[in-house]
Amino acid sequence: MLRDWPLLPLAATVLLLVAPLPAGDVTASGKVTPADTASLLLVAVCAVRALRGETGRLSLLGALVLGVPAVGLAVATVTAGDPAAALPGFVRYLQVFVLVPGAVVLLVREARQFRLAVGCFVVLALVQGAVGVVQYATGTGASYQGEDIRAVGTFGPGDVMGMATVVAYGLIAATAVALAPGSGRRARRAAVAAAVLLVVPLVLSFSRGAWIATVVAGLVVMLLAGVRRALKVLVALTAAGVVLVGGFGVGSEMMAERLASITQVSSAPDQSVTDRYTMWAAASSMWRERPATGVGLKGFPANRDGHSSLGLSSGSDTAGAGRGYLRQPLLSPHNMYLLVLSEQGLVGLVALAGGWAVLLVAGIRRVLVRGAAPRTARDCGLIAVGLFVWQTTDFLYADIGGPSTVLTGVIIGLAAWWAVGTGTFGTGTFGTRAYGSGAAPAGPDATGRPGGPAVPAPAAVGRVPGAVAREGAAGR
């Protein structure tokens, strides 16, 4: 376990989000959270170990996917109306979309370490979910329709998406483990139990965007795992939902109203829906004004009123969960793609979203291609793809902001580790680069014992991004 110490900052980045933050102490206000500090330590540890040659290596594709966004961010900062005001945004984007993902890819060397990182997500989800359920049961949550019942965990009413996000991460990860063909019986049972438990706080979060993203990601994971396994887990989760919502009446009436509001975009929409579509229109208007580079990082709030209709309210009301009433200003369009388009233009959107598309396609292809990874590591692929599908779907209804934002960087890093990384599964090397000219590193022999003779580098290596050779590779 001593060899895993470089991952301690990664575990801390996730698990420190269990602790509550003082009122107003959120990243959106410019303050650094303990999780952010841990992520910076993660990057520092990675840099030191990289200089000493003790980390993995990025493939060319991985370097492009993670490095090109930095160019788009620099362009958006330099071309902003006020580059000094845009600089904090540059640092934040660089942290979340470049540095933290890169550190995760380089420091996570084995599938076992990947699972340790994902385990931290599940622990965080269970703790935050338990707090959220207690908030609903005792009426100590965030205010929702005049009652303090909305489950928000320790994130408070100012970040109502925080708990829903981390609970959804845990739910998708647990579902993937339950469906993976290589998972052991104990791991599968524990994963099913965790997934069923996490359904409750996700429902009680009353977060429409998190619900939609979870359904989409769950369906993708089930389809990739196989119909037969998918049906079993789907039946278990559906039964849990019926018992909890139908049998015990857990948020049934309010959940029904919340679900109905998803389709009410033109006929009697609530104010939150009106505000969201108004800000989407404002973001589109900003992009049309400066299509190439946008209005600059952190430029949306300053340009919002000049591009918004009178239907936009001044802010959203927040209260409950131990905090008083606060009118929270609307400073983003609540759509990551439109936020990037409005502030960074086409240059930034292509750099960021283009890289995400590459990771998604490469990750799914790697799950589907037979021989691209050992069967025992397929849970890693399902987890990585599932979490990344959730994140990219949720970006249609949300953007970065709040303490949980740092987890976005970890999710992208885990997805890149699977799709274009050059780590190991503990028994065989994978990546977009070949083993080298001549022979592969010494690995297990035909009997599975370590230290076997070197195997000639197979010609199949490199045909599929992130894939091992189908024949002759160590660890088959």
Side-chain angles (χ1 to χ4, degrees):
M1 293 299 291
L2 290 177
R3 63 177 178 173
D4 296 330
W5 75 263
L7 296 181
L8 290 177
L10 174 57
T13 299
V14 179
L15 295 178
L16 282 176
L17 288 173
V18 170
L21 295 173
D25 192 9
V26 295
T27 306
S29 63
K31 297 183 179 180
V32 178
T33 67
D36 288 316
T37 303
S39 74
L40 296 177
L41 180 60
L42 172 69
V43 173
V45 169
C46 178
V48 171
R49 290 181 64 82
L51 290 175
R52 298 174 60 181
E54 297 174 348
T55 65
R57 290 188 293 172
L58 282 174
S59 64
L60 177 59
L61 182 59
L64 289 174
V65 168
L66 297 178
V68 169
V71 178
L73 294 173
V75 171
T77 303
V78 172
T79 58
D82 187 354
L87 190 58
F90 172 79
V91 174
R92 183 61 164 167
Y93 273 84
L94 197 67
Q95 172 202 8
V96 174
F97 297 114
V98 179
L99 297 180
V100 171
V104 171
V105 174
L106 293 176
L107 288 179
V108 176
R109 304 293 298 274
E110 303 173 359
R112 179 181 57 83
Q113 294 177 334
F114 180 98
R115 296 184 185 108
L116 288 175
V118 173
C120 293
F121 276 92
V122 177
V123 170
L124 172 64
L126 289 171
V127 173
Q128 288 287 0
V131 173
V133 171
V134 171
Q135 289 173 333
Y136 175 85
T138 59
T140 57
S143 178
Y144 179 75
Q145 295 187 358
E147 300 180 62
D148 293 344
I149 59 171
R150 187 171 191 176
V152 292
T154 64
F155 293 97
D159 185 17
V160 294
M161 280 292 296
M163 189 214 72
T165 297
V166 301
V167 166
Y169 286 156
L171 176 57
I172 294 301
T175 302
V177 173
L179 291 172
S183 298
R185 182 174 299 179
R186 290 184 179 179
R188 184 175 290 112
R189 289 177 177 175
V192 170
V196 170
L197 290 174
L198 290 173
V199 169
V200 183
L202 182 63
V203 170
L204 299 180
S205 69
F206 298 108
S207 174
R208 294 167 294 195
W211 292 347
I212 295 172
T214 301
V215 170
V216 172
L219 290 175
V220 170
V221 169
M222 291 177 185
L223 290 174
L224 291 176
V227 177
R228 184 175 300 178
R229 286 189 176 87
L231 288 176
K232 293 180 180 179
V233 175
L234 186 61
V235 168
L237 295 178
T238 303
V242 170
V243 171
L244 293 170
V245 178
F248 296 107
V250 179
S252 55
E253 183 178 349
M254 291 184 175
M255 188 183 72
E257 294 178 0
R258 196 67 166 166
L259 285 171
S261 67
I262 295 176
T263 60
Q264 294 173 348
V265 296
S266 58
S267 60
D270 59 35
Q271 186 59 48
S272 64
V273 174
T274 300
D275 287 340
R276 180 162 301 183
Y277 280 90
T278 301
M279 290 188 293
W280 287 7
S284 300
S285 178
M286 293 178 202
W287 168 68
R288 287 192 296 269
E289 185 177 280
R290 297 186 63 181
T293 58
V295 297
L297 294 175
K298 294 291 185 179
F300 183 88
N303 292 272
R304 182 198 64 183
D305 292 341
H307 295 268
S308 300
S309 67
L310 297 178
L312 181 66
S313 64
S314 59
S316 59
D317 299 331
T318 62
R323 301 181 187 178
Y325 172 82
L326 178 66
R327 187 72 170 170
Q328 190 171 354
L330 303 174
L331 302 178
S332 71
H334 293 286
N335 180 305
M336 190 65 201
Y337 305 105
L338 288 177
L339 177 62
V340 172
L341 190 63
S342 63
E343 293 188 341
Q344 303 177 46
L346 286 174
V347 173
L349 184 64
V350 170
L352 273 175
W356 299 342
V358 170
L359 292 182
L360 192 58
V361 172
I364 292 176
R365 185 180 182 186
R366 193 147 189 268
V367 171
L368 295 176
V369 173
R370 185 177 181 181
R375 179 183 175 87
T376 53
R378 197 169 181 203
D379 61 322
C380 297
L382 292 178
I383 293 170
V385 171
L387 290 176
F388 199 56
V389 168
W390 190 94
Q391 191 64 72
T392 52
T393 303
D394 185 67
F395 274 163
L396 293 170
Y397 308 94
D399 47 51
I400 60 173
S404 61
T405 294
V406 68
L407 296 184
T408 302
V410 179
I411 295 298
I412 295 174
L414 294 177
W417 180 91
W418 169 259
V420 295
T422 56
T424 70
F425 287 120
T427 56
T429 303
F430 72 93
T432 56
R433 59 184 173 88
Y435 286 120
S437 58
D445 58 20
T447 64
R449 295 188 298 270
V455 181
V461 173
R463 291 181 182 175
V464 180
V468 293
R470 299 187 182 184
E471 298 178 0
R476 287 300 304 273

